[in-house]
Each structure stands twice: as structure tokens, then as C-alpha cells.
Amino acid sequence: MNDLLQQDIQYLPGVGPSRKKMLNEELGIQTYGDLLHYYPYKHVDRSRLYSIRELTGDMPFVQVKGCILSFETFKMSARKERVVAHFTDGSGKVMDLTWFNGGKYAKQQYKIGTEYVIFGRPNVYNGRINVTHPEIDAADKLELSAMGMQPYYNTTEKMKKMGLNSRSVERLTKTLTDVLKSPLPETLPDFITKKLHLMSRDEALRKIHYPQNAKELEQARVRLKFEELFYVQLNIVRYASDQRRKYRGYIFSRVGDNFNNFYSQNLPFPLTEAQKRVIREIRKDMGSGRQMNRLLQGDVGSGKTLVALMSMLIALDNGYQACIMAPTEILAEQHLQTIMDFLKDMDIRVALLTGIVKGKKRQEILDGLLDGTVQILIGTHAVIEDTVQFAHLGMVVVDEQHRFGVAQRAKLWNKSANPPHVLVMTATPIPRTLAMTLYGDLDVSVIDELPPGRKPVVTQHVYMSNMPSLYDGLRKQIHQGRQVYIVFPLIEESEKIDLKNLEDGFNVLTQVFPEFKLSKVHGKMKPAKKEEEMQKFVRGETHILVATTVIEVGVNVPNASVMVILEAQRFGLSQLHQLRGRVGRGADQSYCILVTGYKLAEDTRKRIDIMCETNDGFRIAEADLKLRGPGDLEGTQQSGMAFDLKIADIARDGQLVQMARDEAQLIIEDDPECQTERYALLWRRLRELRKTNINWGAIS
């Protein structure tokens, strides 16, 4: 049966070479199996016939059996006509069928007096029930009782022009399910399907196309979604288990002078309970004898860098070096400044290595790493270059969404006899279901409270027409000694227009605020000029920083109290939340102002409302996942979302993700080497899936 699923789609009756080419180019369908896994996007109940007297104009799709009494044609223009068929079900009631296109074909195709079943969405026109462009089938050829729920398939304009509409695809899938006479082989063992009350694979793949009722459709969906999520999770859990068994990791059993002196003398403020909990989790990992691979999540300002530093001090206390890898030079420099401030008066050598560190200075750092005198290295991706070698690298911190790919990870591990402990930090909260899939091989820690004294940022929605009063409010803040960010959107598709808007906006703002000094920053500026403008703002020499989203990451100005985001409707929730995180870093009350026009799409208004309601990054991330889906979320594309789920939805199927994860964990715990005969079906299926075009390596 598996061989039949690999059969070339052109040999399915009704396809042929030209349709094969179209199906392949537009939908990627090449085999019988591809078509079988091309699922309908909705179903409509075709099991019931209505009488005309039951119909109203606000009903969904209905079907009626009857005859055409007559046709009428109405001229609409020189070349267009409207064709109306008067249709009766024999009850004395008459309804209309209308064609604005294809009416000539309808008059030739459908005969007066012949019994048909018409299907469509009813409306009322001129006091009469009317169905526009109905589907029509000869009543004697349509087995209504066997039809149940009719599937609808997504098709493209090119396909429709060739006559491959949803109904045509439906006929092909019907032919295919008829051709597949033997049951399809099972891909989940009995002990899973029985325990979770799942349909068989054969039944699910048939019922997903042709269920008799809504209950059957739901059962088919659950089975197929679970299977899809289960194999993704099984692969991730298997990979994580392999890593733990293969890479023992250094045992950091000592908490010594560096950690204790820092804790007693340099700690800038008492740790929150969340920070204490996370440090305990990290210490447990470091002393376990296995390599730590931990994701540390926490909103901007929650104290992740402090936790990372204290973890690195444990590495130093055990005679090892540590490094932080940041995505940008600005963020690397900010980490250097923050850590130097934390470590003041402590005898710890910290160095910065980025692309712009050259010559003698670079060589001094490389020598210091090699002889162990540089204890903490902070840098960009420059730290994984072959020329960078450590004496004893024991811990690596990776900041801001840049999860190690397999190749990057190997480069860092090769710099040490054993692989170093790894802490991945992100200020973009990731919903649990997404984290389980994107970062499934990492243990997750969450800092879910802010340090004491931090006031929540007040977020307000302002319309463009209220800009004058907004400007007055900004003036008051600046006169009180505060600073202000004003952010313009910069979306790549309209980069030139956006840059012009920023330049024009900057000119307007200099006229609105002649009494204040303004800086301007965008991604197209030369790095040195951009850095110069940023530093002016950091030092308080300018009052307003006009920028694009380049300031989303890496600017820490506690004195800045207002973030104004213009055309906020053009930003995603996660991006708005990141921008808002640039303020609220000092003790003063801070504000985030979202500026839009009056006309907003429903999804956009929801985004703005959520931002105004909450500062909780996890709530925002969950909402963003539901509104936009996992593939669109900020950072997920780089983070390994390389697989394309055909039917499951991480945002809406969280319970199934958890079920799949739980089952995968049980199996790996029972068979860590993937060799037990009881699970042979699973390992065989996983090997088959790894041969597909899904980038399973990126998932793990």
C-alpha cells in the first residue's frame, strides 16, 4: 500500500500530464500520498435536503431537490448578461438560481423538467429566495445519503483557469480513496491509539476528506494532528536525550569566592523570588554531570543578565572561563558596560570581542583567552571564529533569540574538551506550546516578575488627529528632565517610502520642538554615525531619539520615560512589546503611546487593545501566536521553525502538543537507544519522515 502512495499522480484517473504539472507547481502534489495529505480547509453538510419554504436569507449552505421551470435573461451591458433559472421543489414554491458569469453555459447544460439537486448559499432578492452561481448535480447521479459532509479545498487562480477548482480536487480525492482499496498501513502502535482513543490512520485519512458527520470529522482531525505533533516531539526528545547521554558536561560542584563576594558585596538589589528559583535550576544543572542546555525567558528588565552573570561566576569559581554571545555589536557593548558595572572592584578580567576589534587589541584578547587570564568574553558571532580559542571554556550564554544551530553549537563545543554549559536568553516571551517545539531540546526557566521599584509602563492608544495634545505631553516630560523615543515603522517592502517618511517626520519634529535637541537613527546609516547618534541620546545630550526599530534591542536609557510608536498598526504584538521594553527602566512612571489612524482592521484593534490592557509578555506572546500563527512570530523563522505542519496548529492545539510531548517522553525514557522491538514501528516511521523535505535537523 505504501508503494501505491508513492505512485505518480499523473496516473490517477482524471489527472494526466497537464493536470499533474499544475498540481505539482501550485500545490506541490506529485504522488497519490501527497494528494491524500492535501486536507480540505472546511466541510459543508450535504446530508440534508431542504424545502424551499424552509429557506431564509441568513442561512449557510443548503441543498434543494427539484426542477428548473424556465430561464430568463437580463441584459446588463453590451457584453454582459444575467441569467436566472426559476426552480421549484414541487411544493408550489419557486426560487431563483442566478448566474452573472457562465449563464450561457448553464442554459445549455441544464434542462427544463430534469430533476437536479442544487447547492449554495441562499439570499433574498426582490422578495424571493435566490442562490447565486449554485452547484448543480443530476439527482439520479448523486447519492446524498453517502455524501455526508462535502470537503472544500484551497486552490489557486491558475488552477481555477484550468478547471481545477475545489469540486475538481474533490473528485480526484474521491477517485483516490476508491483506488486505495486495502487499508493504509498504521503509523502509530496500538498502545498509543487505544490509550488515547484515536482513530486508525486508514479511517482518519479517509474521513478527513469524506466524513459522514461533524463528530467523525473531529475524530479524524484529532488523530492526524496528534500524529503530526507526536513525530515532531519524538524527534526533539530523542535528540535531546542523545545529547544528554553523549555529552557529559563539566561538574561545577563549587560555589566559591567570586559568587559569594558578588552576592554579599556587589548585588545591586535583592534578587526576586523568580531569579532565585532560576539560579537554583541552573546550579542543579551545572552540578548534575550532564551538559546544561537551558532557555531563560523573561521580559525586558526582569534581570536575566544578572542571573547569567551569577551563573558565569560559578563557572569561574570552578576554574573555567565563560562567554556571552550577542546578536549585535551594540548589545554586546551594552552587556560589557552592564557587567563591568556589576563587577566593580572585583578582580575579574572581562574582554569585548566584535568585528571591529582589530590588530594588537584583538591579539591581546586572543592571547588572554588562550592562557586563561581573560575569564569572561563578551562578543558577537566573532567568538565562534576558528582563531578564538579558550584555555578552559565552561559556560556559554547566548542572548536574544539566537539559538545555536547544530553547526554553531559544534564550533563552540570544539573549543573545549567537554561541551560547555549553555544558557540561551530571550526577552521575547515564547508561549509554552511553541517553546516545546522550537526549543524542545532545551529545559525552560522563566523569570516572571520584575525587580522591586519598577513601575509598569502605562500604554495608551492615540489617534493621529490628537497629535498636538500628545506633543504637549511630551514637552512636559522633557521639561521634567526625561527623554523620549519616537519610532517610525520600517518595513522592508516599502523601505524607500518608510525612510522618506522618517526623514520628513524628523524635519516636522524639529519644527514642532525647536527648543529641544533631536537625534535620528535608522538601519541605513553608517555604523559609526548611528553609534554616535545613539550615544548622544544615552549621554542625555539629545532629548528626543527619532528612530526605526533598530532600537528594539540594545539601548538602555533609564532616563527615557516615553516611547511613541507611529503607525502602530504596522507592527506585530511582539515587536510592540519589545519597543515598549525600552522605557520603564528607571524609577519614574513611563509611558508607551501607540499612534494610529481611525480606520483599523479587527485584528489590528485587538493587538492595540491587548497592548493597552497588559504588560505581561507571556499573555502578549500567546495572543500574538493566536493572531498571527507560529511562522510569522518575531524570531521564530531564525529559531528553527523549519517544518510545515499540514493540519495541526501550535497556537490552537496546545493540549495535543502536550499529549504528544508526554507520550514521546515516556517512549524515550523506556527506550533511550531507540532499539526496542516494541517501538520498532515508531523508529521506522521517524526514519521515513527524516527522508522527507522537512528540515528535521533544524527542528532539533
Side-chain angles (χ1 to χ4, degrees), residues 63-81:
Q63 55 190 1
V64 181
K65 189 198 278 192
C67 300
I68 294 171
L69 297 172
S70 61
F71 284 98
E72 265 190 283
T73 303
F74 301 90
K75 276 281 183 196
M76 294 171 66
S77 66
R79 299 181 63 183
K80 291 203 80 171
E81 60 183 26

Side-chain angles (χ1 to χ4, degrees), residues 484-520:
V484 173
Y485 295 103
I486 298 180
V487 175
F488 282 78
L490 180 56
I491 314 298
E492 282 179 18
E493 301 90 82
S494 54
E495 204 169 83
K496 285 182 182 172
I497 299 167
D498 284 338
L499 277 175
K500 185 174 186 309
N501 287 347
L502 183 139
E503 299 286 355
D504 292 347
F506 183 77
N507 292 335
V508 168
L509 289 167
T510 54
Q511 292 166 29
V512 171
F513 299 110
E515 70 273 42
F516 300 132
K517 290 180 180 171
L518 283 72
S519 289
K520 175 176 61 180

Side-chain angles (χ1 to χ4, degrees), residues 252-291:
F252 293 166
S253 54
R254 213 169 149 260
V255 175
D257 291 345
N258 287 309
F259 185 94
N260 290 326
N261 289 342
F262 178 82
Y263 192 82
S264 61
Q265 296 168 27
N266 284 41
L267 201 62
F269 43 75
L271 296 176
T272 62
E273 288 305 313
Q275 285 173 310
K276 289 177 186 174
R277 183 186 69 242
V278 170
I279 290 170
R280 283 196 297 270
E281 290 167 352
I282 291 169
R283 280 187 60 183
K284 187 178 174 187
D285 281 355
M286 287 176 157
S288 69
R290 68 175 179 84
Q291 184 209 16

